[in-house]
Amino acid sequence: MIGNRFSAAAETYDRHARPQLALAQSVVSMLPEIYPEQILEFGPGTGQLTRLLTQRFPEVPVDAVDVAEKMIEHSREHFSKFPQINWIVGDAQTYRSGDRYPLIVSSSALHWVSNLRKTCENIFQCLEPGGYFSLGMMLEGTLKELHNLRREIAPEKTPAITLPTYEETKDALKAAGFTLERRKHSEEEIIYDDAKAFMKAIHEQGVTGGKVSAGNAPLNRAELSQLIVDYQEMHASDGGVAATYETATFLLTKS
Ligand SMILES: C[S@@+](CC[C@H](N)C(=O)[O-])C[C@H]1O[C@@H](n2cnc3c(N)ncnc32)[C@H](O)[C@@H]1O
């Protein structure tokens, strides 16, 4: 289950979350000149985006809703000097509070949901008319080298689920009622020291082990060793190995 996997990764996530930090920065930089009275964040995890929010909007109350109980415990403890953050266990697909928010944000989280359109519809309901939703998504091309190699080494263990595409995400947002104000779509290569360090980093980001990357069965020891050797050979770049991250940032409104 997604919640358990991210709970397990809570302690190590930040050291290895460079692409996620870049996406969180993009989510904040896309915001217009507003100063909301209250913010709702979905999937805060260890609070990379939440921290940026506290810098941009000091003292504004943030309801930070994450499905992973241990992530919430971890972040509540780490952010104890920020009493304006309210750490809540909840699911973006169904979460409702009595309030409607002038600003909702989410980064590197909603690509995990099983029904993106329904989730977007729920978020639309949480937003007040005239409010903003700034969203950072990891997309289908993320870690494509790894997925392709995995498919070759253990085709019977290919994951049935992939991350959403850019078009699917845009369609889900529009179908939910959002107006698209701004967007940025990019593909970037990140260099890791070597294939082993890369595998360790994505595991500690909580990227492996879930429905998207794990497939219906985990790789055995021999397959994993093969994956590391082949990855090192096929994707060597700039003194390390390269991995692609495809991301998009959207600024949306409710008119
Ligand atoms: C990769 S972490 C990203 C954390 C942070 N937003 C960042 O930018 O670094 C994804 C987080 O989303 C949470 N998450 C996944 N699905 C969720 C859902 N349906 N509702 C709320 N949180 C969810 C996970 O538990 C995890 O803490």
Side-chain angles (χ1 to χ4, degrees), residues 13 16-23 108 111-112 137-147 163 184-192 197-208 231 241-248:
Y13 176 83
H16 296 291
R18 279 182 290 159
Q20 287 84 352
L21 179 59
L23 190 56
S108 302
H111 47 270
W112 296 112
M137 289 282 281
M138 290 279 169
L139 298 173
E140 194 192 22
T142 296
L143 306 183
K144 62 184 175 193
E145 302 85 355
L146 179 69
H147 293 306
L163 294 177
K184 181 176 149 201
H185 181 198
S186 58
E187 203 173 84
E188 205 194 338
E189 270 193 353
I190 302 278
I191 307 295
Y192 294 85
F198 163 61
M199 294 299 289
K200 184 165 188 277
I202 60 167
H203 181 68
E204 293 184 352
Q205 284 167 21
V207 173
T208 53
Y231 201 100
V241 297
T244 299
Y245 285 82
E246 183 194 2
T247 61

Side-chain angles (χ1 to χ4, degrees), residues 2-3 6-7 13-14 17 20-21 23-24 41-50 65-68 71 90-93 106-113 119 205-207:
I2 296 274
F6 278 105
S7 289
Y13 176 83
D14 282 344
Q20 287 84 352
L21 179 59
L23 190 56
E41 179 183 356
F42 283 118
T46 55
Q48 287 205 113
L49 172 59
T50 325
V65 176
D66 200 292
V67 77
M71 270 292 183
D91 189 330
Q93 303 179 88
S106 183
S107 188
S108 302
L110 296 189
H111 47 270
W112 296 112
V113 300
T119 306
Q205 284 167 21
V207 173

Side-chain angles (χ1 to χ4, degrees), residues 33-237:
E33 285 302 312
I34 51 169
Y35 204 87
E37 281 179 6
Q38 205 183 1
I39 303 170
L40 173 61
E41 179 183 356
F42 283 118
T46 55
Q48 287 205 113
L49 172 59
T50 325
R51 190 174 296 282
L52 300 176
L53 293 172
T54 62
Q55 291 160 1
R56 169 93 181 245
F57 305 112
E59 292 173 24
V60 171
V62 179
D63 285 348
V65 176
D66 200 292
V67 77
E69 211 173 315
K70 283 237 172 71
M71 270 292 183
I72 286 292
E73 276 171 27
H74 170 93
S75 296
R76 188 179 285 129
E77 205 174 298
H78 276 72
F79 282 79
S80 57
K81 294 207 172 89
F82 295 86
Q84 76 272 32
I85 307 172
N86 187 18
W87 297 97
I88 300 164
V89 177
D91 189 330
Q93 303 179 88
T94 50
Y95 178 82
R96 291 281 172 86
S97 76
D99 297 329
R100 282 196 170 183
Y101 298 78
L103 175 62
I104 301 179
V105 295
S106 183
S107 188
S108 302
L110 296 189
H111 47 270
W112 296 112
V113 300
S114 52
N115 189 328
L116 186 57
R117 168 144 178 207
K118 280 226 158 85
T119 306
C120 292
E121 284 169 358
N122 187 50
I123 295 173
F124 190 77
Q125 292 307 320
C126 295
L127 192 64
E128 74 179 29
Y132 289 94
F133 174 34
S134 189
L135 170 67
M137 289 282 281
M138 290 279 169
L139 298 173
E140 194 192 22
T142 296
L143 306 183
K144 62 184 175 193
E145 302 85 355
L146 179 69
H147 293 306
N148 291 340
L149 201 51
R150 227 200 113 113
R151 211 169 290 130
E152 276 174 34
I153 291 172
E156 73 290 357
K157 295 179 179 174
T158 298
I161 296 173
T162 53
L163 294 177
T165 65
Y166 181 62
E167 290 305 321
E168 280 165 4
T169 308
K170 236 174 29 172
D171 289 350
L173 288 163
K174 282 187 183 162
F178 287 108
T179 305
L180 202 49
E181 296 284 337
R182 295 178 65 190
R183 64 199 152 171
K184 181 176 149 201
H185 181 198
S186 58
E187 203 173 84
E188 205 194 338
E189 270 193 353
I190 302 278
I191 307 295
Y192 294 85
D193 289 346
D194 56 31
K196 230 180 182 167
F198 163 61
M199 294 299 289
K200 184 165 188 277
I202 60 167
H203 181 68
E204 293 184 352
Q205 284 167 21
V207 173
T208 53
K211 279 183 285 187
V212 173
S213 42
N216 37 22
L219 296 186
N220 61 35
R221 201 174 275 263
E223 289 163 341
L224 196 57
S225 303
Q226 183 72 52
L227 188 70
I228 291 172
V229 169
D230 289 357
Y231 201 100
Q232 185 70 44
E233 208 174 285
M234 292 169 69
H235 300 294
S237 177

